[in-house]
Amino acid sequence: MRVGLLGLGRIGAFHAATLAAHPGVDELVVSDADGGRAAEVAARLGARVGDAFDSDAVVVATPTATHAELLTHACAKGVPVFCEKPVASGVRDTLRVLDAVRRSGTLVHIGFQRRFDAGYAAARKALAAGELGTLHRVHLLTADPRPPDPGYIPMSGGIYRDCHIHDFDILRWVTGGEAETVYATGSNRGEAFFAEAGDVDTSAALLTMDDGTLVTLQGSRYNGAGYDVRMELAGTQGTWAVGLDPRVPLTSTEGLQPPGEPWPDFAARFEPAYVAELGAFLGAARGETESPCTVEDALAALYLAEAAELSRREGRPVRVTEVIV
């Protein structure tokens, strides 16, 4: 099949290499606002520069502000499309895309790669099989070793929408439950550009699920030890941890030191998951499977991020129903 790819930044270039090596891709067509970058990637991977929508399927890895229009365009053309999160910059544009998807019936797969990580998948399976007993609490952590470029922060949507939306999605996917309330906070201990953008560089939240399960969440843009993403699920019969691998950036005072070098960033930590999610999208585009991550899923995670951001700003618990449009 011919696959088009729009956007050749860091994650886009990674996706381009994955698609070029995939046995189901006969031709890769790339496009980027920087024509020189597109030509360089195309030459290196044996792809060609052209109209990405003149393809059997499209992968969108452009900046967030472009997602809604590109997704509605894909729906108008009836071309299956994979899009990096988020669907759009806000709830109303996400709903507009959802309406286009429902009216057109076009396959739209949103990129939440943690669903394709072996650890999260194993925890989901174990919980569903009853191996943990009754779930009582969950802990989520996403910590970057260094902050993004200062110019990115003002358009990122804030740490809860930009970073923790992955935690909110994987919480729903692993547990199969929905959060009812969110109580979030944050602080700024680093560079001033976070506060100047109305954002925080350190985050924490408490969520209460619809069955009473308590969920704690933490995040940081300054985890100097290395990239650290984990999930802990504790039930009446067992406790499972995701991400507690030989490269977890922890120092144990009891001497249980992980033997490997810490993960440097998200691309290295989740490389197999990124490859797997594109393979799943191509399978869905060929009609072999259904999309494992829909616009509805992305909207549900966005609602949790919106509730967290409202809670942080107003300093109070927020019911998720308050932000649902």
Side-chain angles (χ1 to χ4, degrees):
M1 63 192 304
R2 178 189 297 134
V3 178
L5 171 63
L6 293 100
L8 293 167
R10 183 180 184 185
I11 193 63
F14 181 86
H15 287 333
T18 298
L19 292 167
H22 196 283
V25 177
D26 300 307
E27 183 180 17
L28 177 62
V29 182
V30 299
S31 175
D32 190 88
D34 184 336
R37 179 188 297 165
E40 185 276 325
V41 171
R44 175 162 46 85
L45 297 178
R48 70 176 176 86
V49 178
D51 180 4
F53 281 98
D54 183 23
S55 303
D56 302 307
V58 175
V59 173
V60 173
T62 54
T64 294
T66 67
H67 289 184
E69 293 305 319
L70 291 172
L71 288 172
T72 53
H73 182 62
C75 289
K77 292 181 67 70
V79 179
V81 58
F82 171 98
C83 183
E84 280 298 334
K85 68 83 186 168
V87 172
S89 301
V91 170
R92 294 195 181 278
D93 280 340
T94 301
L95 290 169
R96 180 166 61 87
V97 172
L98 180 57
D99 180 63
V101 171
R102 287 173 172 171
R103 285 187 288 105
S104 67
T106 303
L107 167 69
V108 177
H109 178 158
I110 305 303
F112 284 101
Q113 86 284 350
R114 293 187 195 181
R115 293 179 175 223
F116 298 88
D117 177 79
Y120 288 105
R124 181 178 190 248
K125 183 178 179 181
L127 181 61
E131 294 182 42
L132 283 72
T134 301
L135 186 65
H136 278 208
R137 62 178 175 84
V138 178
H139 182 64
L140 297 156
L141 170 68
T142 295
D144 293 321
R146 65 195 65 83
D149 185 273
Y152 172 74
I153 296 303
M155 58 182 143
S156 70
I159 196 169
Y160 285 105
R161 297 186 188 96
D162 172 55
C163 179
H164 289 307
I165 197 164
H166 283 287
D167 294 297
F168 297 140
D169 177 72
I170 206 63
L171 172 66
R172 297 182 63 250
W173 188 74
V174 169
T175 67
E178 301 290 349
E180 288 190 341
T181 62
V182 182
Y183 197 1
T185 187
S187 67
N188 285 294
R189 305 294 307 280
E191 295 290 341
F193 59 77
F194 287 101
E196 290 167 357
D199 195 11
V200 295
D201 60 46
T202 305
S203 52
L206 171 66
L207 293 80
T208 303
M209 304 295 283
D210 51 11
D211 64 356
T213 299
L214 295 181
V215 180
T216 52
L217 176 150
Q218 290 178 293
S220 174
R221 300 290 198 180
Y222 285 95
N223 200 62
Y227 184 69
D228 195 1
V229 171
R230 282 178 279 134
M231 183 180 200
E232 183 180 293
L233 301 108
T236 55
Q237 296 181 25
T239 300
W240 281 51
V242 180
L244 198 61
D245 62 24
R247 299 185 66 175
V248 65
L250 291 175
T251 297
S252 169
T253 58
E254 285 76 30
L256 300 175
Q257 187 62 31
E261 287 293 318
W263 294 106
D265 52 32
F266 68 90
R269 165 64 178 87
F270 287 110
E271 180 176 352
Y274 280 117
V275 172
E277 74 172 348
L278 279 184
F281 165 64
L282 295 177
R286 291 191 297 266
E288 298 169 358
T289 59
E290 294 185 359
S291 170
C293 192
T294 65
V295 175
E296 286 92 345
D297 290 322
L299 177 62
L302 178 59
Y303 280 139
L304 294 183
E306 292 288 322
E309 183 58 28
L310 178 61
S311 174
R312 182 188 73 82
R313 291 199 313 269
E314 298 190 354
R316 65 176 179 89
V318 171
R319 295 189 68 84
V320 178
T321 52
E322 293 182 49
V323 299
I324 294 178
V325 177

